[in-house]
Amino acid sequence: MAASSLAPPVARLQDVHLRYGKTVALRGITLDIPAGGMVGLIGPDGVGKSSLLSLLSGARAVQQGQIRALDGDMRSKAHRDRVCPRIAYMPQGLGKNLYPTLSVEENLQFFGRLFGHNAAERSSRIDDLTQSTGLYKFLQRPAGKLSGGMKQKLGLCCALIHDPDLLILDEPTTGVDPLARAQFWDLIQRIRTTRPQMSVLVATAYMDEAQRFDWLVAMDDGQILATGTPAELLARTDTQSLEAAFIALLPEAKKRDHAEVVIPPLQADDADIAIEAQDLTMRFGDFVAVDHVNFRIRRGEIFGFLGSNGCGKSTTMKMLTGLMPASEGQAWLFGKAVNPNDIATRKRVGYMSQAFSLYGELTVEQNLVLHARLFHVPEAEVPARVQAMMERFGLTQERHDLPDKLPLGLRQRLSLAVAMVHRPELLILDEPTSGVDPVARDQFWRLLVELSRRDRVTIFISTHFMNEAARCDRMSMMHAGKVLDSDTPAALTAKRGAATLEEAFIGYLVQASGEAAPQLDAKKEAVFADTASTSATNASDNLDTSAQDAPVSAVSAAPARFSLQRLWSYLWRESLELQRDPVRATLALVGSLVLMVVIGFGISMDVEDLKFAVLDRDQSTLSQSYTQSLSGSRYFIEQPPLTSYEDLDRRMKSGAIALAIEIPPGFGRDVLRGSPVAIGAWFDGAMPQRGETIKGYVQGMHQHWLAQQVRERMGVQMGSQVAIETRFRYNPDVKSLPAMVPAVIPMLLLMFPAMLTALAVVREKELGSIVNLYVTPVTRTEFLLGKQLPYVALALLNYLLMCALAVFAFGVPMTGSFIALTLAAVLFAIIATGMGLLASAITRSQIAAMFFAMLGTLIPATQFSGLTDPVSSLEGAGRWIGEIYPATHMFAISRGVFSKALGLHDLASAYVPLLLAIPIIMGIAIWALPKQEK
């Protein structure tokens, strides 16, 4: 399906296929996309529009087929690097390519640096873009606090900051109110006026806005249905709107049961009120989200709720259902005041969110059964009620399927069935048809009409589709927490003197907000005025003229292989996010200090103050002397004597004693006679190492007591002429604290920076901003180093705090070279953060990244690196891991500096493994991080 031969293609696809596992996204797409115009991909969610755009932008790797864009093969890395500055890609989702904690200006500064602009040029471009989009007065506002429309404007500014030749917009206005949509397209048109050679490729599910495009590609099920100008598609299908044209282009099997939605007049009693709101107000601190809202909705009425993004629609819905108590005013459901604690009233309400609140691990039938039980449907009625819902909403054949496996239209019907399974009298729908194809949308509306007119269910619906709003019996228009007007769609249109409901809605919002009215699209008016032939001629002429001016094969130099400015851009952005995220900063600094205190004071290898008791069956002078030799030691604390074996067993089980001594009857007599005698010693062996230490203490005490008795009674000195005089160097008191603290510092310096850095990349994968790596000139090395360096600096600050805690709080002196230890800490911090980056590069969720980071740091550091047992005592694989693991050598350096007064020269050999580990770990992390989505 080729475009006009007069228009040289900005991109060409030949037999392109794409799969996600078993799901086929694109099926043999062959397409020439003309240059210099605005080309639209139209169709509902899931037909392959986003996949096609991601392939064209270079964000996704080509699996099968050939794609050429800007006169080069997109399979070629060299070509992608060369044309990257000429392509701008704005992914699907509100602000998906933005960083919410950064301000408007900071986001633009970030993208300006990525594309190599100097400070003066960035400032000039930011001023021009923000003034033309109305964002100038919001330069200091965080992107996360912008409305949906403003986020999309900012995303567009970020995409346009480098003057691209190909602008790719993936559903840029989904979820955005009509005024913001109109302003967005007005902005695009103004930019195209100043840069006529720029090609714009847009995916959209809104058929009305597709009327303004120069050329369209209708898609369904990963295939192309038709191409042409809007007028050509209307003429080909003999229809009056693009939505009708799209339905006509669908395969017969998909449109067989389609019929126009017919809404019978509402027969309702004006006194039978389902919902009433009187001065309903919601405040969050000083911010008024809903400001004295008033309306009445009759039983069985379909009531539309329209408003700008963030105007308070969802908050109002929550107050009406009792999910949120009102700050002021009152609401009534079916004559009863709304009470958040009144479950009976809430059971009369069904709620269907835009996100389809379904349980993905449960089948269709199980979802219905679960929700029936949650709403206390009598157990005997549940099977029949579930069967009735599946039959009514056409889900019988899919009863054993999981929701995620269903087409979007069926999933929508299941969500409606779930909301209706308890037979509510009020149904609240929050943008329920977003992304659904026109046929499924009309089927859904026929179900709503049946519920309203036959079952007398009151339907309260919010939507951004104007053709859906026109189907409502009445509607309210809302802005900044206030209801602007409520009436029938026809009456609201007439009040504004507008040609369409959308024009009337925009007029209301412009009047309320004081913003400038967007320019109407002449081509769209022409289509609706049935001047299709004139529109087609104009579109073809414009496309031909602009395409001839488009330099689609312009030569551009590839970006530098390495740029400090691009690296600095990510370093600067990551530093700002760290400063503005108190949780991460607290975890990095306070968390490690707290854990160091816990480990330093709470985990001790010292075996002192052991509680013991004696079962003395002799009660002689010698037996008491034996007992006193134990109690006189600093290692033992005597407890009340034991009375029996049962007492011994009970107290040892409870932990009251760790040692029991049994002195047999006749002990004193046998010792004086020189007869053999055995003393029983019972140890708590639950902790073998501790038990062995206690055994050594007792044996030493026993030998000392025997020598003392011989000397006192016989005047003979036991022993030989040769004696061993023991001296402990570096830790003369053989205390645990001087041994543990120098090892705890490297362990925490490894664990916490690795865990924090592990979140750095994977968080961008979850939020979607990882696409900036895929479609900007930044390299993987620049990206990872820019993310790593702030965490290295944070780790070194943490290291200094831990050293201060060790010296001043624990009293462990640093006897060696602080410079030597600091140099090792720098190398070790790079290694630790590199391990975190590696964990983040190979995972797709923050939980998995944290798990891998802890698995790769904590276990080897504690088990194989000499924390408690020397590496030389290990065998087999454990010994091999210990020899090569960096923590082993950092432990040696830290202990050498703290305890052995060693310096840089003494520890030189321990630095070599650390230096070798850095390029290995960072190299693997860079290799594991793809520059394209697979």
Side-chain angles (χ1 to χ4, degrees), residues 433-673:
T433 59
S434 180
V436 180
D437 69 82
V439 172
R441 190 182 304 137
D442 286 351
Q443 290 174 343
F444 183 80
W445 266 92
R446 284 197 293 275
L447 291 171
L448 295 185
V449 170
E450 181 182 324
L451 290 171
S452 167
R453 300 306 192 249
R454 192 189 78 178
D455 299 344
R456 308 283 292 161
V457 174
T458 304
I459 297 174
F460 192 28
I461 181 171
S462 70
T463 180
H464 283 151
F465 288 98
M466 289 297 106
N467 62 340
E468 289 191 344
R471 293 170 175 170
C472 297
D473 298 311
R474 286 190 309 135
M475 56 184 289
S476 280
M477 293 187 175
M478 193 171 182
H479 177 72
K482 295 182 178 181
V483 171
L484 305 179
D485 202 351
S486 294
D487 214 326
T488 65
L492 291 171
T493 305
K495 287 179 183 180
R496 297 297 306 181
T500 64
L501 180 60
E502 180 176 359
E503 185 181 332
F505 181 47
I506 291 174
Y508 274 107
L509 293 185
V510 167
Q511 182 180 9
S513 64
E515 299 184 36
Q519 295 294 319
L520 294 176
D521 187 76
K523 205 181 325 179
K524 180 177 177 180
E525 289 178 337
V527 171
F528 279 107
D530 293 326
T531 57
S533 60
T534 303
S535 176
T537 302
N538 291 341
S540 298
D541 291 344
N542 291 340
L543 190 60
D544 181 37
T545 302
S546 60
Q548 291 176 7
D549 295 335
V552 297
S553 60
V555 177
S556 62
R561 293 178 63 87
F562 184 82
S563 166
L564 285 175
Q565 186 179 31
R566 295 195 298 259
L567 187 153
W568 170 255
S569 184
Y570 267 99
L571 187 154
W572 172 76
R573 187 199 65 76
E574 197 71 26
S575 299
L576 287 178
E577 289 208 339
L578 268 177
Q579 293 174 25
R580 294 166 187 176
D581 187 347
V583 174
R584 278 193 287 167
T586 302
L587 177 64
L589 298 177
V590 179
S592 58
L593 297 181
V594 170
L595 199 55
M596 185 174 176
V597 171
V598 170
I599 295 175
F601 286 125
I603 302 176
S604 175
M605 297 298 177
D606 296 338
V607 182
E608 294 181 335
D609 299 331
L610 296 168
K611 295 180 179 180
F612 81 99
V614 178
L615 180 58
D616 189 351
R617 299 183 182 280
D618 186 51
Q619 297 297 326
S620 64
T621 303
L622 279 178
S623 67
Q624 293 173 5
S625 171
Y626 192 90
T627 302
Q628 290 171 0
S629 67
L630 273 176
S631 60
S633 168
R634 68 183 178 95
Y635 297 113
F636 295 98
I637 299 176
E638 187 176 7
Q639 300 298 302
L642 298 169
T643 58
S644 63
Y645 285 123
E646 290 75 16
D647 186 28
L648 184 155
D649 189 54
R650 178 181 56 80
R651 289 165 69 178
M652 190 160 281
K653 278 183 177 180
S654 66
I657 58 174
L659 169 67
I661 298 294
E662 180 188 3
I663 300 178
F667 168 78
R669 182 189 66 243
D670 291 341
V671 168
L672 293 175
R673 289 178 178 177

Side-chain angles (χ1 to χ4, degrees), residues 170 265 269-270 285 449 542 629 723 772 833 882:
D170 190 359
D269 182 357
D270 290 345
V449 170
N542 291 340
S629 67
N772 295 326
T833 52

Side-chain angles (χ1 to χ4, degrees), residues 60-283:
R60 186 173 295 279
V62 180
Q63 293 180 358
Q64 184 178 342
Q66 186 180 51
I67 297 179
R68 296 183 65 82
L70 296 176
D71 203 28
D73 187 355
M74 293 304 288
R75 283 182 178 271
S76 167
K77 182 180 181 300
H79 176 70
R80 292 198 307 273
D81 291 343
R82 187 168 59 253
V83 301
C84 181
R86 297 176 59 197
I87 299 176
Y89 176 54
M90 185 174 164
Q92 182 180 3
L94 291 177
K96 205 67 174 289
N97 60 332
L98 304 177
Y99 298 95
T101 60
L102 270 61
S103 68
V104 169
E105 183 177 11
E106 288 165 347
N107 270 283
L108 289 166
Q109 288 280 0
F110 169 75
F111 282 96
R113 286 191 178 98
L114 284 186
F115 286 97
H117 300 321
N118 58 38
E121 189 174 7
R122 290 198 306 272
S123 179
S124 173
R125 288 173 181 263
I126 290 172
D127 287 346
D128 289 343
L129 287 168
T130 53
Q131 286 174 357
S132 65
T133 56
L135 292 173
Y136 187 78
K137 59 183 178 181
F138 303 106
L139 281 175
Q140 302 309 314
R141 180 175 294 184
K145 295 186 178 180
L146 297 175
S147 67
M150 292 171 71
K151 283 180 181 177
Q152 295 304 78
K153 288 179 183 178
L154 176 57
L156 180 62
C157 290
C158 292
L160 292 172
I161 200 165
H162 63 289
D163 293 334
D165 293 328
L166 175 59
L167 175 62
I168 301 175
L169 308 173
D170 190 359
E171 300 201 15
T173 58
T174 296
V176 177
D177 65 78
L179 174 59
R181 286 210 307 266
Q183 291 172 333
F184 184 88
W185 293 118
D186 189 29
L187 171 63
I188 293 289
Q189 190 60 43
R190 294 201 307 270
I191 292 170
R192 289 186 65 205
T193 302
T194 59
R195 301 194 69 246
Q197 78 279 6
M198 182 176 67
S199 301
V200 183
L201 187 56
V202 186
T204 182
Y206 294 102
M207 298 296 173
D208 52 349
E209 70 184 18
Q211 299 274 9
R212 67 178 73 228
F213 299 158
D214 299 317
W215 200 70
L216 298 177
V217 180
M219 295 185 66
D220 181 67
D221 196 24
Q223 297 176 309
I224 296 176
L225 298 175
T227 62
T229 66
E232 288 172 349
L233 294 185
L234 294 178
R236 185 181 310 174
T237 56
D238 193 24
T239 54
Q240 298 299 312
S241 70
L242 277 180
E243 183 159 315
F246 184 83
I247 294 173
L249 291 169
L250 287 171
E252 188 61 35
K254 289 195 173 184
K255 62 182 180 181
R256 182 180 300 119
D257 298 328
H258 178 259
E260 291 293 329
V261 177
V262 178
I263 304 179
L266 176 65
Q267 305 295 328
D269 182 357
D270 290 345
D272 189 5
I273 301 301
I275 309 175
E276 182 174 0
Q278 184 175 333
D279 291 330
L280 204 59
T281 303
M282 173 55 71
R283 296 185 181 90

Side-chain angles (χ1 to χ4, degrees), residues 281-295:
T281 303
M282 173 55 71
R283 296 185 181 90
F284 298 101
D286 295 332
F287 175 69
V288 181
V290 179
D291 190 2
H292 295 86
V293 167
N294 296 277
F295 53 74

